[in-house]
Amino acid sequence: MGQAAVRLLTDTLDHGRSPANASVPTHLVIRDSCGSPAPDGSPLPMRVNGASA
């Protein structure tokens, strides 16, 4: 993401214009640390956008 920001900045400085939109490819990484365990210590079921995964 930093490289994309620098590229956009240098393009703007060199050419005096910037794009109306810029997108950066992303991907979801689900880690154990993303959710807290249930009171009994068992992991909670994973939910994605309100639905069970």
Side-chain angles (χ1 to χ4, degrees):
M1 195 157 52
Q3 289 177 342
V6 170
R7 204 172 303 121
L8 288 170
L9 177 61
T10 55
D11 239 18
T12 301
L13 293 173
D14 290 345
H15 305 291
R17 64 181 191 279
S18 61
N21 294 312
S23 62
V24 178
T26 61
H27 64 277
L28 176 64
V29 177
I30 299 176
R31 298 185 170 97
D32 288 337
S33 62
C34 292
S36 52
D40 66 359
S42 63
L44 294 173
M46 188 173 69
R47 300 183 79 67
V48 178
N49 295 332
S52 295

